[in-house]
């Protein structure tokens, strides 16, 4: 499990955040932040989706289950979706997810949805820094991971999964 | 996590390559440690680090290892997949594997270039590696779908960029639709008198190209028309064009202007748009003598017939060919094209926004574009540079960087203003003998023959004062300032504030994105920079492509540029369109959705999710079906499917869950 679950004065809490970025806007913006050498907090690990509309809210829950302290979802601005309206679907699911997180006792401030266009490298930097600060303030989520047979690849031989 | 179990099972043999990218990655990330770390990940049988993975030896390394070590999955940790995924998929395929048995970890743009601390950077790189290795094991062999490309091309915007792109394509035998919003093509260039630095007459070099457009058998020219709707995708766009009524038949009108003479208004009465309101026109008019097509139009806002219904329509009786048609209605035409070139141009900065320069307040303060018309032989004064009272100016001030290089307006340099200011200085001096004062921040004259032109102006005794002008005022302090406009500026070379009285002020306005750039880019599904310029796919290596395949950019819609650059870019965009059309097909990323029949319960949740109507319900089998030819691979149906029956190639639920686990489990 995480080596940073129990912060101590010498080992301050460094949250781990999973980001789901859409290929066309936010992922490209994160690349732009890179080419522009905009330094930001190293706590975010980006997973590329083609569209924020691909984001199944269960992915967010899976990230928390695997030990994430926060989740960032990035999509194109309203009206700009490469696939017309995937970002609106992401927004709908996000609102439902927020409600569910509250019911589960997870502070909804741990999950942030942001519209970041391909030219907004600075915004990637700003949003990530803000979210990391926010999650630092909230402290570790501290879920104890329970292996879930259905989603754990460990429970499934690779060959079988391939056919699915 | 039970990683050891994963490691032991399956037939996946993953080869991992960590790229140094010279110092780009290795300068921040401990690449050796990342490669060593990867060795401990499930299914990894080989892990190396190498200086440049994208180089030929780097790619050959992958191919060799695939054979020698029976690798069947490849992970390269290097730059962004948007940069080199294609390269490494090709290398994977060259090694004898399906190219989709490959995954990239972005440890340059997302790690080494954005992380301050080396330890944290290495840790993050390891995490991304974990995600990539876990997901690649679940990758499947996929085939790219081929889609035919429609050979026709649409060019939007008929300025010099659009004209050049259209002609290049048409000469290559491609059928082109050129759509222009205004009643004539020509754009801004048609308004200029001379072009820098050669001082060729703009009309002399432009109008032959304009008439070529009109007569070319491969070009369909639609002026006074706008794109209304764009559907489809690369190779197969369906575009609807709104053809606005000009109340004159383009087929019948020969541009004889008899109707203009006959108009009920004996004198021109309304501001002439082409001359920026510096002259007047009638309700029936032609924008300028060489307008293309050479067809008049009737402005319903000012035409007596449209306003009162009481006009005797002398224009109609004057036209022997019966070209005037007051009943003409807006028409929508739809065409299919394989690619689209956007050449929608720019607008000039609105000088009224800088009140200190008195534009709109003092009649003898002009914008540079207005002066282009004034010095033009077919302009409002027939090329005479005169003040509003008809006198020749004895002194003229040219204020540079109006709306450019300004934190409060546009930060960027508009690139053309220094040079056109020099050109206008030369022309005004030539025609009036006036003293010319340029107020500049820096003179920017990079370009062939540009610096030499600047030298020439210095020899012509044009004055250059280094300093941003503070204000233009009619408040006079001395007798010699009386009746003049005073430009107050700090001369930063002399180190004092100067007051220069002049008769005429020219504001060198910068270039801005069109007011409706945002609507246009949405229609074509492309991106804009902060300033509203259309965003190119890569600033250096894909300067005319966009993030939407099959949509290309030419000219100033992508950013301020001068005519040579516009033409060069238009040629580049045309050749991109040609490459697509001549190849005849495009290969699509096989990231389409699919339904597992046994899992589908027939709830139809996915069907309304799809923006492309790619999913239908098979009533006989009672499950949903995806038409892969229509699916664009967004995956929103997959996210909505309650039973996990809908999945997306390259982004299956399982692949994503494993990537999440991989990102989180090992560091």
């Amino acid at each position: 499990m995480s080596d940073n679950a129990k912060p101590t004065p010498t080992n301050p809490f460094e949250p781990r955040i999973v980001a789901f970025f859409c290929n066309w806007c936010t992922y490209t913006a994160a690349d732009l932040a890179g080419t522009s050498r905009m330094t930001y907090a190293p706590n975010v690990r980006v997973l590329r989706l083609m569209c924020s509309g691909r984001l199944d809210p269960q992915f967010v829950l899976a990230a928390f289950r695997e030990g994430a302290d926060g989740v960032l979802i990035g999509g194109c601005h309203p009206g700009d979706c490469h696939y017309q309206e995937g970002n609106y679907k992401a927004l709908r699911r996000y609102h439902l997810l927020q409600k569910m997180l509250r019911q589960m006792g997870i502070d909804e401030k741990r999950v942030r949805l942001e519209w970041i266009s391909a030219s907004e490298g600075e915004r990637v930097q700003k949003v990530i820094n803000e979210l990391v600060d926010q999650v630092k303030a909230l402290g570790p989520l501290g879920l104890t991971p329970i292996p879930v047979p259905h989603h754990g690849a460990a429970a499934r031989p690779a060959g079988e999964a391939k056919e699915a | 996590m039970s990683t050891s179990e994963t490691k032991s099972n399956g037939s996946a043999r993953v080869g991992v390559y960590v790229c140094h990218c010279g110092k780009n990655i290795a300068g921040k990330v401990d690449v050796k440690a990342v490669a060593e770390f990867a060795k401990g990940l499930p299914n990894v049988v080989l892990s190396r680090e190498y200086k440049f993975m994208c180089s030929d030896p780097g790619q050959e390394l992958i191919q060799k290892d695939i054979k020698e070590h029976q690798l069947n999955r490849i992970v390269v940790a290097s730059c962004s997949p948007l940069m080199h995924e294609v390269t490494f998929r090709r290398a994977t395929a060259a090694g004898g594997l399906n190219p989709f048995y490959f995954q990239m970890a972005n440890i340059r743009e997302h790690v080494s270039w954005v992380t301050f601390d080396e330890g944290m950077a290495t840790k993050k790189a390891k995490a991304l590696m974990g995600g990539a290795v876990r997901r690649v094991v679940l990758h499947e062999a996929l085939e790219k779908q081929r889609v035919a490309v429609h050979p026709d091309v649409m060019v939007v915007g008929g300025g010099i960029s659009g004209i050049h792109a259209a002609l290049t394509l048409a000469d290559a035998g491609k059928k082109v639709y050129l759509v222009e919003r205004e009643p004539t093509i020509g754009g801004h260039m048609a308004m200029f008198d001379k072009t820098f630095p050669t001082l060729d007459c703009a009309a002399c070099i432009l109008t032959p190209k304009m008439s070529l457009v009109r007569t070319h058998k491969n070009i369909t020219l639609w002026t006074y028309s706008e794109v209304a709707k764009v559907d489809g995708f690369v190779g197969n766009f369906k575009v609807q064009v709104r053809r606005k009524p000009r109340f004159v038949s383009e087929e019948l009108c020969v541009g004889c202007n008899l109707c203009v003479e006959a108009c009920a208004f004996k004198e021109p009465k309304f501001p002439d748009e082409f001359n920026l309101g510096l002259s007047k026109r009638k309700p029936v008019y032609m924008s300028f003598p060489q307008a293309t097509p050479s067809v008049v139009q009737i402005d319903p806002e000012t035409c007596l017939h449209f306003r009162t219904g009481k006009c005797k329509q002398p224009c109609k009786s004057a036209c022997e060919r019966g070209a005037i048609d007051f009943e003409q209605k807006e028409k929508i035409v739809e065409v299919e094209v394989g690619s689209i070139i956007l050449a929608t141009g720019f607008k000039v900065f609105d000088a009224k926004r800088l009140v200190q320069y008195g534009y709109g307040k003092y009649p003898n303060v002009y914008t540079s574009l207005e002066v282009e018309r004034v010095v033009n032989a077919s302009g409002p004064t027939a090329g005479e540079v005169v003040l509003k009272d008809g006198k020749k100016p004895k002194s003229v001030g040219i204020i540079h960087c109006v709306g450019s290089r300004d934190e409060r307006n546009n930060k960027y340099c508009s690139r053309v203003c220094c040079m056109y200011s020099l050109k206008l200085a030369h022309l005004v001096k030539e025609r009036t003998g006036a003293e010319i004062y340029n107020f500049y921040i820096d003179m920017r004259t990079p370009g062939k023959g540009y610096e030499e032109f600047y030298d020439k102006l210095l020899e012509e005794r044009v004055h250059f004062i280094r300093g941003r002008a503070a204000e233009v005022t009619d408040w006079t302090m001395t007798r010699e300032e009386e009746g003049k406009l005073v430009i107050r500026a700090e001369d930063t070379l002399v180190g004092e504030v100067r007051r220069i009285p002049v008769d005429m002020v020219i504001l060198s306005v910068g270039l801005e994105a069109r007011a409706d750039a945002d609507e246009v880019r949405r229609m074509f599904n492309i991106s804009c920079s902060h300033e509203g310029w259309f965003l190119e796919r890569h600033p250096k290596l894909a300067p005319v492509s966009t993030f939407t395949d099959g949509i290309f950019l030419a000219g100033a819609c992508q950013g301020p540029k001068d005519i040579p650059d516009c033409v060069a870019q238009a040629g580049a965009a045309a050749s991109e369109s040609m490459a697509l059309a001549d190849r005849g097909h495009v290969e699509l990323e096989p990231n389409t959705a699919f339904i597992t029949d046994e899992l589908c319960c027939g709830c139809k949740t996915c069907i309304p999710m799809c923006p492309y109507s790619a999913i239908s319900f098979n009533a006989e089998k009672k499950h949903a079906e995806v038409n892969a030819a229509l699916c664009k691979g967004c995956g929103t149906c997959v996210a909505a499917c309650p039973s996990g029956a809908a999945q997306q190639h390259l982004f299956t639920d399982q692949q994503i869950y494993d990537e999440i686990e991989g990102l989180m489990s090992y560091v």
Side-chain angles (χ1 to χ4, degrees), chain B residues 22-43:
Chain B
K23 284 270 171 221
N24 282 308
I25 295 170
K28 188 63 85 173
V29 172
D30 184 344
V31 283
K32 284 201 168 61
V34 176
E36 202 53 43
F37 160 82
K39 282 183 186 157
L41 292 172
N43 299 304

Side-chain angles (χ1 to χ4, degrees), chain B residues 489-546:
Chain B
E490 185 190 357
D491 187 330
T492 57
L493 297 181
V494 179
E496 64 180 34
V497 175
R498 293 179 67 178
R499 294 172 61 87
I500 310 277
V502 293
D503 296 320
M504 181 184 191
V505 174
I506 303 173
L507 303 178
S508 295
V509 283
L511 274 49
E512 282 189 333
R514 290 241 175 227
D516 62 350
D518 206 51
E519 290 153 47
V520 172
R521 77 169 176 91
R522 279 186 188 183
M523 187 150 48
F524 292 93
N525 202 357
I526 59 168
S527 307
C528 267
S529 67
H530 287 301
E531 301 90 1
W533 305 112
F534 295 155
L535 199 64
E536 65 282 359
R537 192 175 192 119
H538 190 278
K540 290 164 191 81
L541 302 179
V544 299
S545 304
T546 66

Side-chain angles (χ1 to χ4, degrees), chain A residues 1-4 14 16-21 23-28 30-60 62-69 77-86 89 92-93 117-122 145 147-148 150-159 161-162 164, chain B residues 1-3 5-6 9-12 24 43 73 80-83 85 89 101 103 106 108-111 113-116 120-121 123-124 127-128 134-135 137-140 231 518 521-522 525 527-530 535 537 547-549 589 591 594 596 608-612 632-641 647-648 651-654 656-661 663-667:
Chain A
M1 182 44 202
S2 148
D3 55 358
N4 48 13
E14 283 294 345
R16 298 188 303 164
I17 293 169
V18 174
F20 299 93
F21 284 172
N23 180 65
W24 304 98
C25 290
T26 314
Y27 194 90
T28 310
D31 276 4
L32 177 64
T35 33
S36 315
R37 310 297 199 276
M38 294 172 182
T39 309
Y40 55 79
N43 309 61
V44 171
R45 299 161 185 193
V46 179
L47 190 152
R48 180 169 66 121
L49 299 172
M50 291 313 286
C51 178
S52 56
R54 173 67 184 92
L55 186 97
D56 187 330
Q58 292 184 79
F59 297 163
V60 178
F64 283 137
R65 192 189 62 226
E66 298 304 325
D69 303 295
H77 283 271
D80 287 4
C81 177
H82 192 80
Y83 303 100
Q84 298 181 15
E85 50 195 25
K89 286 157 191 157
R92 284 177 354 206
R93 291 168 188 150
S117 81
S119 63
E120 294 179 311
E122 278 171 49
V148 179
H150 176 66
H151 291 144
R156 238 184 218 224
K162 253 193 311 180
Chain B
M1 281 310 302
S2 42
T3 50
E5 275 174 60
T6 325
N9 72 43
S11 53
N24 282 308
N43 299 304
R73 297 289 189 283
S80 169
L82 303 182
M83 185 97 185
E85 191 172 55
R89 276 184 182 168
Y101 284 138
Q103 176 67 20
N106 184 349
R108 193 180 72 173
E109 280 84 345
H110 288 193
V111 181
W113 279 350
V114 293
T115 310
F116 176 74
M120 292 303 275
K123 189 174 169 184
K124 186 173 172 186
L128 296 184
R134 284 293 299 277
R135 133 193 265 290
V137 172
L138 299 178
H139 278 205
E140 4 157 58
D231 280 323
D518 206 51
R521 77 169 176 91
R522 279 186 188 183
N525 202 357
S527 307
C528 267
S529 67
H530 287 301
L535 199 64
R537 192 175 192 119
F547 286 101
T548 301
D549 288 336
E589 182 82 358
N591 55 12
F594 62 98
T596 309
M609 283 290 132
C610 181
Y612 306 100
K632 301 283 165 296
C634 65
T636 191
C637 59
V638 187
C641 177
Q647 289 298 330
Q648 183 186 8
F651 294 90
T652 66
D653 281 345
Q654 200 58 54
I656 295 169
Y657 283 125
D658 272 37
E659 187 172 350
I660 297 169
E661 278 187 23
L663 286 171
M664 298 303 299
S665 297
Y666 307 104
V667 281

